[in-house]
Every structure is written in C-alpha cells, then in structure tokens.
Amino acid sequence: MKVNYFQSEYEVLRDKDRCIDCGICITECANEVHLRDKKGKLLAIDSKCVNCHRCVATCPVNALKIVKNEYCFRENYSWSRHDITNIYRQAETGGVLLASMGTAKEYPIYWDKILINASQVTNPSIDPLREPMETRTFLGKKNNEIEFDNDGEIVINETPFIELATPIMFSAMSYGSISLNAHKALAMAAKDLDILYNCGEGGLHESLYPYGDHTIIQVASGRFGVHSGYLESGAAIEIKIGQGAKPGIGGHLTGAKINKEISKTRMIPEGFDAISPAPHHDIYSIEDLRQLVDVLKEATDYKKPIIVKVAAVHNISSIVSGIARSGADIIAIDGFRGGTGAAPLRIKDNVGIPIELALAACDQRLREEGIRDSVSLVVGGSIRHSADIIKAIALGADAVYIGTSALIALGCHMCRACSMGNCNWGIATQREELVERLNPELGRERLVNLISAWTVELKEMMGGMGINSIEALRGNRLMLRGIGLNEKELEVLGIKSAGE
Amino acid sequence: MKREGEVRIPSGCAISGIFSKKRRLFSGEMAIDSIRVMHDRSNGLGGGFAGYGIYPEYQEYFALHVLYDDRKAKVETEEFLEEHFDVINLSKIPTRKIHAIKDEPLIWRYFVEPLRTRLMESQLEEYEYTARCVMKVNLHIKGACIISSGKNMGVFKAMGYPEDVGEFYRLEDYKGYCWTAHGRYPTNTPGWWGGAHPFSLLDVSVVHNGEISSYDANRRFMEMFGYKCTLQTDTEVIAYMIDYFHRKQGLPLDKVASILAAPLWSTIDRMEEKQKREITYLRKNFSSALITGPFSILVGFEGGLMALNDRLKLRSLVVGEKDDMVYMGSEESAIRILENDFDKLTYPKGGVPYIVKLEDQQ
C-alpha cells in the first residue's frame, strides 16, 4: 500500500459547466497535470501542479482555477507545514532540497520601511511633463583629479564607462538557465531602451553577438563559453564571484539541458552536467582577484569596464572596499532575496543579508575611505518596482539590476519550479516546443513597456523631490525616512526616522 | 530646539552684489541700500555682507572674523590661533548698539599669518593650512565660529534684517571694490549668528537664495575630501564645492559653473565636438557635484564676482552694468535703487555664469 505522507500544495479546480472539453490544458501543461481517463473525461493530477497558471491563462472559457490545498497538519507554531513536508521529502529521497527564484521567507523588506520625500513650499517640485528630467547614467571609475596641459586645457583622461539611458539593467541569467528566446527578448529590449542586459555565465549565443554594445558578458567560476571573441563582444565584463540567492556555492546545470546549441555556446560536451565550482579556483584571495581583473583588462585593451559581482554577506562593506582597490570599475552587489534558477533551499533561505543594508553599509564605507568615486555600485536582488529603484539610488546605488521583474514581464508566474526545466512559459526551459511559446518580439515589447513605464515613474518621483537629474538623487539620503525601524537599522541605513 | 548645524533648515532669501571693475572703492552703505529694498524677502532671522578690498593695510594677512558664544570659547580659540599662527593684530570688531540687533556674541577680528615652522611641518601651502585650521576650530571648539578667513576681505553677519545688520557693523566705515549682501528667510528660528550668510572660506564667499534638492548628495560627496558640513546649509556645501574645484583643482570658475549647474545632456549632445567632450568629461566625473533645485548665488572671490542660477532658472537674478560698475540682485528694484541708467541689463540664463573681474587682473 502506497502511503502519501503529504499532499499536493495546490488543487486544480475545473468548472464543469464552463469546460468545453477542448483539451488545450493537456497540450499546454508540460508538467502533465491534465489528462483524459479511459472514457475521455478530463482529469487533473494535483500533485504534479506547480501553480504556473499556464492552463488557467490559456483556457478559452476560464474554466480553470488553481487554489491552495487547505489540508493541514495539526497547528504548531514551531513546525510549519512547509517544515514537516520537507522532512518527509528528504526522508524519502535523501537529497538536498532545491528551490528556484528568491527566498519566499518572511524576512523584513527594508524597501517597504523607507519613505520618499517631496517638495512643499520652500522649493518647487518639477513637472517632468514640462521640464527636462534626466536619467542618463554612467557607470565606471571616475577621475577625481583634473589635469591641465601646457595650454591650460583640461586633459581628457577617459576611463572605460557604460552609458545607460535609465539606471536599470537586466541582471545575469545564463543561456541554459533560461531559453534562447528569453535571451533574445532581453537583448533586443536592452538595445531599444539603450541599456544593458547581462548574458550570465553560460556564454553568448552567436546569434546575439550583434547586440554586443548592449551586453555585459560574464566570466564565472566555470568559465563557460569564455574565449577572446567573447571577451571582445560585450560592452563590459562581469566577474561573477557570488550570487545573492546562493552565496558561497556554485551552480549545476543538468546534462538534460545541455543540448547542441548550449553545448556549442558553453564549449562543453552535449548531455554532460555543467558544474560551476563554488569559488574561482584562481581566486583564493583578494590579490588573486586583482590579477583576474588585470588579465581581462589586458585581454580587452583596457577599453571595457570590469564589473565584480558579489553576494551580500555579513562583512560586505570590507569586501567591497577591497574590490574597489583591486581595479574593478563597477561593483555589483546581489542581495539575499535575489533570484536563481536553482539553489539549495537552506542556503537560499538562510545565507546572506538584505541588499538595502548591504548597499547602505558599502556606500558609506567607500565614502569614509574616500574611494566611492573609484567604482560605481550596482545593486540587485529583489527590485520590484520603480520606488525600490528611487530608494536604492538615494541610499547610494548608481544603478540597479533586475532579473525576476524582467522575467515576470516575459510571462513568468513565479511558480518557482525553474530547476525542473518544464517552464510552461518558455523561459526557464530548453524544451523546444516550450521555448517556442515565448515570442522574442513580443517579449521585447513587454520589457520595453515595463522599463519605459518605470522610467516615467522615476521621473515623477524625482520631480516631486525637486530633482531633475538622477545624479543629484544618488546617495541623497535626506530624501528618505524610515518607518517602523529601530535605531540601529536607521543608523546602518544612514537615514532619519519619519517625523525627524 | 536644535541649533543650526544639528538640523537642516531650508530658507528663502534676497541677494545683491556690487562690483567696480576699476577697483574704485565704495562703502558698504551701497550694499545696505540695495538689500534694504528687498526687506520682504527676509524675515529678520539673518542678514550679512561680504566686502572685498576692505583691509589694504593688512592685505598679506588672513583676516579672521570670529564669533564667540562665551569667553571660554575665546580663550580656547586664541590658544589654538597662537599655536598655529603669528597673530599680527587683534581687536574687537566695532559695532553700534541698535535696538534691532540683540544678544550679540563676542565678535573679534584677527590678522594672522601661518607660523612658518608649523606650515613647513604640515607640508601644506598657506591657504590649505589656514582652511584646515578654520575647519578645525569650527568643528571642535564649542561656541566658536570663524565666519571669515580670506585676505583683504571680510564677512559681517548677524541675526536680524540685513539693513540693521549693516548698521550694527558700521559698514559705512569700510571701503571695498566689491560688496555682496544677503537677507535670510529661514523656515525655522535657529537663533544663531553663524547660520546667517554670506558663508565664506578663505577668499571665497557665497550668498545664496534657494533650497537645493541635491544637498545630501553634494554634502556626502564633499565630505570625502575632508570638508565637514557643520552648518547643514546649502550655502556651506556650495562654498566648499567652489573651494574644491576652483582653489584645489585649479578649475576656472566658468568650468566650475559647468559642473555645479551642468548643461542638460540634450544641450551637451548639440555642442561642438571639443566642448562636448570636455563638458561630458566634467559632468561624468563630477556628477555628485551637480546641484538641482532652485538657487541663485553670488560668489565673491579675490578680484571678481560671479553670479549663477540653477539650470532651470527657478530663482530670479538680474545683472546691470554701468561704466565700470556691475550690479547684481534678486530683484531689479535692488539694483535700480543704485543706478537707473544701465549700459546693459541682463537676466543670466539658467546655468550660465556671469563673471566679472577687476580690469587690472584680467
């Protein structure tokens, strides 16, 4: 007798009065939830459902609904259903629990405890519909010393910079973890928006080389797809040290996802697992990082800014200070709520610190050391909307990375089952018939719409504060107030309490 | 209630400035007459003046104007000054008892020159050495405030309406080739003389009208270079930025203006190649020094005067010229009271500096 220790999380409800028995749900669900019994009657296997809403969204008569399964264990504050179920799972399989996207646990979201200022009487707010409002952003090392030539003219010592029309970039998601169509949509949208996307650590598919001026290429511990043409192809190079969702560990793309194109792009054999080691095996210390930075600069003729991406961990401000002194032009900090294609659940839910605190601490530390201008700071990991961006920039960021929000724009429904490779929305999958569901042109349009809308919102909030250029917002912490925060949190964030 | 410096207090204001390109000396009364017209733009919570060329007999020495809350602060400061400078002359600054000005602090003036041995030890030149000493006193000696530290110039400021402040300081007894004046309209009662304008460091003095929205971005940028913004006023941080770019980096004032009130990118994109490269370079590398929000400022410096508006011209500012005289003011009435027949009358465009210099220094 088979005993089910735990029940499925969701129930698929079919309204029999509405259902026209067309069977689209069967073809649309790659998780094989929907099927017909011997008599041809439509059934649903709840236990296979990940709640991705594909069937709901494609049902022509709105006959489907997915609801939370209300079954419950005996109530216990210490032992949640989640905890109990996971023990059953591990007792059954002996495996590490994997999960996708950012942590779902109820940690404080500091963005939501910060309020934005606006002008009243003593200075005017600025109407972005009538006055110029600038969001153009440059990322890179700044020169704080002005030199003059013999004629008294300013010497232009150009350092490598990235130029963005708005301070938003699409963060690293590798080809492999997401589909080629998703990459195409990101690349085309980045070009339209005059911003950058990041190809992640899985190399750059040859069809995307024409978007190089709008691409950040990544060099990670697995060195997948890294060759001189690749290094030359992008606008900037990012050394990935860590990821917010899984600081301290590497990655694992299963052989099943390594098809011909991915194998070619990553320069690894087809069908074999692609393992990214936890550390870079040529970086065991900060002086080693400097060497990799220099190697990449040397390889690209000192023309491209080097980004170093790290996960926000406890002593992040000293780490960032060390990186700033190691030749990096830009530092990307990824907060612990950041997304992932797959990460061990316990790491995702317990390792690292919130990006808001990490950002505030790093910006302040770099200023105290007088080296804030020697790098730009880009933050990511849970940027959900334009107000988060305003707060991030006022805390001290130069720009933000968004990953999850971009995927949601492409259709992701946050079911958090990316690692299974059956993404019904054609995003986190390599199955051809699923990838086809994501139309890159439509995806591009949706991404352009999202970022354009956010940029308008940024301008409106800036105008409200009487600020008409994004650089005057950067690090302008007087524009922020905390609500419901204790003194220590306010101190770390470097902001005053509401009412102060 | 918190004193200025412990809390940020926005304020509106009136400003005016008078300058003779031929170095003709005139008394501070002209500046008083000009600022008096704009009485309604102040609310009696601060007024002040800066005069250039007023101490010809001591022109090679730094003139320190110091406000003391009490004798203890004075003793401590004088001890510090003795340790770091040769004090050539010291005296009370003469004032006149008038009804409108009350609760005055102890107001002293020192003509000093850095002690040669200390200067050599510090490996600094005399201006940087003096600037650091001034900041040290203002930051560390409680109840002492050095409001003026340039050569052959001085700042006079107090709580009250500016015309009363001028009378209080007997400005009719001083003659200079340049005067700036300020009437303050703070939205709070700081009750402190040090918070009035002009704000000055070394030879540079700034009077300012407006409330900038970029304040904290600018402040945190300047603090990286050792400037401590103790007053938390816009004027203070603007003065520090001018000091940093003009004195320390050696950038001419028009270029400083193109950092502080940088042209819009859409304007820069239309510039001819050389200028475009240069302005882009400055804006990119010193983006944290961009000032947004309304301001009009008059910057007095050795041998010159600069007027500058924010990029959107959110504050009024007018400049009139007649022969060798240049008049600047928040309102036209403030300069018409002095001269009604201008050779040239200009409303400087947003972000475009209006700079005048002594003819013998050009």
Coordinates of all heavy atoms in Angstrom, one line a residue, chain A residues 399-444:
Chain A
A399 N 23.1 52.3 -10.1 CA 22.0 51.7 -11.0 C 21.6 50.4 -10.3 O 22.2 50.0 -9.3 CB 22.6 51.5 -12.4
V400 N 20.6 49.8 -10.9 CA 20.1 48.6 -10.4 C 20.1 47.5 -11.4 O 20.0 47.8 -12.6 CB 18.6 48.7 -9.8 CG1 18.6 49.7 -8.6 CG2 17.6 49.0 -10.8
Y401 N 20.1 46.3 -11.0 CA 20.0 45.1 -11.8 C 18.6 44.5 -11.5 O 18.2 44.4 -10.4 CB 21.0 44.0 -11.4 CG 22.2 43.9 -12.2 CD1 23.4 43.6 -11.6 CD2 22.2 44.1 -13.6 CE1 24.6 43.4 -12.3 CE2 23.4 43.9 -14.3 CZ 24.6 43.5 -13.7 OH 25.7 43.4 -14.4
I402 N 17.8 44.2 -12.5 CA 16.6 43.5 -12.3 C 16.6 42.1 -13.0 O 17.0 42.1 -14.2 CB 15.3 44.3 -12.7 CG1 15.3 44.6 -14.1 CG2 15.2 45.5 -11.8 CD1 13.9 45.0 -14.6
G403 N 16.2 41.1 -12.4 CA 16.1 39.8 -13.0 C 14.7 39.2 -13.0 O 14.0 39.2 -14.0
T404 N 14.3 39.0 -11.8 CA 12.9 38.5 -11.6 C 11.8 39.3 -12.2 O 11.0 38.8 -12.9 CB 12.6 38.3 -10.1 OG1 13.6 37.4 -9.5 CG2 11.3 37.7 -9.8
S405 N 11.9 40.7 -12.0 CA 10.9 41.6 -12.6 C 10.9 41.4 -14.1 O 9.8 41.5 -14.7 CB 11.2 43.0 -12.3 OG 11.6 43.2 -10.9
A406 N 12.1 41.3 -14.7 CA 12.1 41.2 -16.2 C 11.5 39.9 -16.6 O 10.7 39.8 -17.6 CB 13.6 41.2 -16.7
L407 N 11.7 38.8 -15.9 CA 11.1 37.5 -16.3 C 9.6 37.6 -16.1 O 8.8 37.0 -16.9 CB 11.7 36.4 -15.4 CG 13.2 36.1 -15.6 CD1 13.6 34.8 -14.8 CD2 13.6 36.0 -17.1
I408 N 9.2 38.2 -15.0 CA 7.7 38.4 -14.8 C 7.1 39.1 -16.0 O 6.0 38.7 -16.5 CB 7.4 39.0 -13.5 CG1 7.8 38.1 -12.3 CG2 5.9 39.4 -13.4 CD1 7.7 38.8 -11.0
A409 N 7.8 40.1 -16.5 CA 7.3 40.9 -17.7 C 7.2 39.9 -18.9 O 6.3 40.1 -19.7 CB 8.2 42.0 -18.0
L410 N 8.1 38.9 -18.9 CA 8.1 38.0 -20.0 C 7.0 36.9 -19.9 O 6.8 36.1 -20.7 CB 9.4 37.3 -20.2 CG 10.6 38.2 -20.7 CD1 11.9 37.4 -20.7 CD2 10.3 38.7 -22.1
G411 N 6.4 36.9 -18.7 CA 5.3 35.9 -18.5 C 5.4 35.0 -17.3 O 4.5 34.3 -17.0
C412 N 6.6 35.0 -16.7 CA 6.9 34.2 -15.5 C 5.8 34.4 -14.5 O 5.4 35.6 -14.2 CB 8.2 34.5 -14.9 SG 8.5 33.9 -13.3
H413 N 5.3 33.4 -13.9 CA 4.3 33.5 -12.9 C 4.8 33.1 -11.5 O 4.0 32.8 -10.6 CB 3.0 32.6 -13.3 CG 2.1 33.3 -14.2 ND1 2.5 33.8 -15.4 CD2 0.8 33.6 -14.1 CE1 1.5 34.4 -16.0 NE2 0.4 34.3 -15.2
M414 N 6.1 33.1 -11.3 CA 6.7 32.9 -10.0 C 6.3 31.6 -9.4 O 6.1 31.5 -8.2 CB 6.3 34.0 -9.1 CG 7.0 35.4 -9.5 SD 8.7 35.4 -9.1 CE 8.8 35.5 -7.3
C415 N 6.2 30.5 -10.2 CA 5.9 29.2 -9.6 C 7.1 28.6 -8.9 O 6.9 27.7 -8.1 CB 5.3 28.3 -10.6 SG 6.5 27.7 -11.8
R416 N 8.2 29.1 -9.2 CA 9.5 28.7 -8.5 C 9.8 27.2 -8.8 O 10.3 26.5 -7.9 CB 9.4 29.0 -7.0 CG 8.9 30.4 -6.7 CD 9.4 30.8 -5.3 NE 8.9 30.0 -4.2 CZ 7.8 30.2 -3.5 NH1 7.1 31.3 -3.8 NH2 7.5 29.4 -2.5
A417 N 9.6 26.8 -10.0 CA 10.0 25.5 -10.4 C 10.9 25.5 -11.6 O 11.0 24.5 -12.4 CB 8.7 24.7 -10.8
C418 N 11.7 26.5 -11.7 CA 12.6 26.7 -12.8 C 13.5 25.5 -13.0 O 13.8 25.1 -14.1 CB 13.5 27.9 -12.6 SG 12.7 29.4 -12.0
S419 N 14.0 24.9 -11.9 CA 15.0 23.9 -12.0 C 14.5 22.7 -12.7 O 15.3 21.9 -13.2 CB 15.5 23.6 -10.6 OG 14.5 23.1 -9.8
M420 N 13.2 22.5 -12.7 CA 12.6 21.3 -13.3 C 12.7 21.3 -14.9 O 12.6 20.3 -15.5 CB 11.2 21.1 -12.9 CG 11.1 20.7 -11.4 SD 9.5 21.1 -10.7 CE 8.5 19.9 -11.6
G421 N 12.9 22.5 -15.4 CA 13.1 22.5 -16.9 C 11.9 22.4 -17.7 O 11.9 22.3 -18.9
N422 N 10.7 22.5 -17.0 CA 9.4 22.4 -17.8 C 8.7 23.7 -17.8 O 7.4 23.7 -17.8 CB 8.5 21.3 -17.1 CG 9.1 19.9 -17.2 OD1 9.8 19.6 -18.2 ND2 8.9 19.1 -16.2
C423 N 9.4 24.8 -17.9 CA 8.7 26.1 -17.8 C 7.7 26.2 -18.9 O 8.0 26.3 -20.1 CB 9.7 27.2 -17.8 SG 9.0 28.8 -17.8
N424 N 6.4 26.3 -18.5 CA 5.3 26.4 -19.5 C 5.3 27.7 -20.2 O 4.6 27.9 -21.2 CB 4.0 26.1 -18.8 CG 3.7 24.7 -18.7 OD1 4.0 23.9 -19.6 ND2 3.2 24.2 -17.5
W425 N 6.1 28.7 -19.7 CA 6.1 30.0 -20.3 C 7.3 30.2 -21.3 O 7.5 31.3 -21.8 CB 6.1 31.1 -19.2 CG 4.8 31.0 -18.4 CD1 4.6 30.3 -17.3 CD2 3.5 31.6 -18.8 NE1 3.3 30.4 -16.9 CE2 2.6 31.2 -17.8 CE3 3.1 32.3 -19.9 CZ2 1.3 31.6 -17.8 CZ3 1.7 32.7 -19.9 CH2 0.8 32.4 -18.9
G426 N 8.0 29.1 -21.4 CA 9.1 29.2 -22.4 C 10.3 29.9 -21.9 O 11.2 30.3 -22.7
I427 N 10.4 30.2 -20.6 CA 11.5 31.0 -20.1 C 12.6 30.1 -19.6 O 13.7 30.0 -20.1 CB 11.0 31.9 -19.0 CG1 10.0 32.9 -19.6 CG2 12.2 32.7 -18.4 CD1 9.2 33.7 -18.5
A428 N 12.3 29.3 -18.5 CA 13.3 28.5 -17.9 C 13.2 27.1 -18.4 O 13.0 26.2 -17.6 CB 13.2 28.6 -16.3
T429 N 13.4 26.9 -19.6 CA 13.4 25.6 -20.2 C 14.2 25.5 -21.5 O 14.5 26.6 -22.1 CB 11.9 25.2 -20.6 OG1 11.9 23.9 -21.1 CG2 11.3 26.2 -21.6
Q430 N 14.6 24.3 -21.9 CA 15.3 24.2 -23.1 C 14.5 23.3 -24.1 O 15.0 22.9 -25.1 CB 16.7 23.6 -22.9 CG 17.6 24.5 -22.0 CD 17.7 25.9 -22.5 OE1 17.7 26.2 -23.7 NE2 17.8 26.8 -21.6
R431 N 13.3 22.9 -23.6 CA 12.5 22.0 -24.5 C 11.9 22.9 -25.6 O 11.2 23.8 -25.4 CB 11.4 21.4 -23.7 CG 11.8 20.3 -22.8 CD 10.8 19.8 -21.8 NE 9.5 19.4 -22.5 CZ 8.5 18.9 -21.9 NH1 8.5 18.8 -20.5 NH2 7.4 18.6 -22.6
E432 N 12.3 22.4 -26.8 CA 12.0 23.3 -28.0 C 10.5 23.7 -28.1 O 10.3 24.9 -28.3 CB 12.4 22.5 -29.2 CG 13.2 23.3 -30.2 CD 13.8 22.4 -31.3 OE1 14.7 21.7 -31.0 OE2 13.2 22.4 -32.4
E433 N 9.6 22.8 -27.9 CA 8.2 23.1 -28.0 C 7.8 24.1 -27.0 O 6.8 24.9 -27.2 CB 7.4 21.8 -28.0 CG 7.2 21.2 -26.7 CD 8.4 20.3 -26.2 OE1 9.4 20.4 -26.8 OE2 8.2 19.6 -25.2
L434 N 8.5 24.2 -25.8 CA 8.1 25.1 -24.8 C 8.8 26.5 -25.1 O 8.2 27.5 -24.9 CB 8.5 24.6 -23.4 CG 7.9 23.3 -22.9 CD1 8.4 22.9 -21.6 CD2 6.4 23.5 -22.9
V435 N 10.0 26.4 -25.5 CA 10.8 27.7 -25.8 C 10.0 28.5 -26.9 O 9.9 29.7 -26.8 CB 12.2 27.4 -26.3 CG1 12.9 28.6 -26.8 CG2 13.0 26.7 -25.2
E436 N 9.4 27.7 -27.8 CA 8.7 28.4 -28.9 C 7.5 29.3 -28.4 O 7.0 30.1 -29.1 CB 8.1 27.4 -29.9 CG 9.1 27.0 -31.0 CD 8.6 25.8 -31.8 OE1 7.4 25.5 -31.7 OE2 9.5 25.2 -32.5
R437 N 7.0 28.9 -27.2 CA 5.9 29.7 -26.7 C 6.3 31.1 -26.3 O 5.4 32.0 -26.2 CB 5.4 29.0 -25.4 CG 4.8 27.7 -25.6 CD 4.3 27.1 -24.3 NE 3.7 25.8 -24.5 CZ 3.3 25.1 -23.5 NH1 3.3 25.5 -22.3 NH2 2.7 23.9 -23.7
L438 N 7.5 31.4 -26.2 CA 8.0 32.7 -25.8 C 8.4 33.4 -27.1 O 9.4 33.1 -27.7 CB 9.1 32.7 -24.9 CG 9.7 34.1 -24.5 CD1 8.6 34.9 -23.8 CD2 10.9 34.0 -23.6
N439 N 7.6 34.3 -27.6 CA 7.9 35.1 -28.8 C 8.8 36.2 -28.5 O 8.5 37.1 -27.7 CB 6.6 35.6 -29.4 CG 6.8 36.4 -30.7 OD1 7.9 37.0 -30.9 ND2 5.8 36.5 -31.5
P440 N 10.1 36.2 -29.0 CA 11.0 37.2 -28.6 C 10.6 38.6 -28.9 O 10.9 39.5 -28.1 CB 12.3 36.8 -29.4 CG 12.1 35.4 -29.8 CD 10.6 35.2 -29.9
E441 N 9.9 38.8 -30.0 CA 9.4 40.1 -30.4 C 8.4 40.7 -29.4 O 8.5 41.8 -29.0 CB 8.8 40.1 -31.8 CG 9.8 40.0 -32.9 CD 10.7 41.2 -33.0 OE1 10.4 42.3 -32.5 OE2 11.9 41.1 -33.6
L442 N 7.5 39.8 -29.0 CA 6.5 40.2 -28.0 C 7.2 40.4 -26.6 O 6.8 41.4 -25.9 CB 5.4 39.2 -27.9 CG 4.4 39.1 -29.0 CD1 3.4 38.0 -28.8 CD2 3.7 40.4 -29.2
G443 N 8.1 39.6 -26.3 CA 8.8 39.7 -25.1 C 9.6 41.0 -25.0 O 9.6 41.8 -24.0
R444 N 10.2 41.4 -26.1 CA 10.9 42.6 -26.3 C 10.0 43.8 -26.0 O 10.3 44.7 -25.2 CB 11.5 42.7 -27.7 CG 11.8 44.1 -28.2 CD 11.8 44.0 -29.7 NE 12.8 45.0 -30.3 CZ 13.2 45.0 -31.5 NH1 12.9 44.0 -32.3 NH2 14.0 45.9 -31.9

